[in-house]
Amino acid sequence: MRMFIAALLSAAALLPSLAHATTTPSDPADASASVPAVSIPSAFAGYRPYRDQKAPTWQALNRAVTSAPAMKGMSHANLPAGSPDANDDKHSAKHGGPAK
């Protein structure tokens, strides 16, 4: 405890000498006062302008979509008329009777 108090007292004794070591700022109204150089990096230093990329035409996009194979199970046009899956209404089978 005595060591702690001694350290605090010595720090308090040195504080006024450190305060006088700072330089006083110059008067802002003095036009002949020297001003330190300030270098600020530009906000646009790493800017790269946007460039449009070559896009395909709408005709090429339509051809790509229409020529793509359908996903399995997405096309119901290929089901034969007499198959059990063609006339199966799974939603209404969950309910007991007709809609009211």
Side-chain angles (χ1 to χ4, degrees):
M1 183 73 171
R2 289 183 190 186
M3 236 3 184
F4 182 70
I5 292 174
L8 282 177
L9 288 175
S10 63
L14 288 175
L15 190 61
S17 65
L18 294 175
H20 293 292
T22 60
T23 58
T24 58
S26 58
D27 183 23
D30 186 13
S32 64
S34 65
V35 179
V38 178
S39 66
I40 300 172
S42 173
F44 298 105
Y47 174 73
R48 291 184 301 152
Y50 176 78
R51 303 227 188 264
D52 282 332
Q53 296 178 353
K54 183 70 176 166
T57 63
W58 64 269
Q59 293 95 345
L61 290 173
N62 282 350
R63 276 192 302 271
V65 172
T66 57
S67 65
M71 295 176 64
K72 183 179 179 181
M74 293 300 289
S75 175
H76 299 288
N78 297 336
L79 291 174
S83 74
D85 291 336
N87 296 324
D88 186 20
D89 187 5
K90 293 181 181 175
H91 181 74
S92 62
K94 293 180 182 178
H95 300 287
K100 294 180 182 177

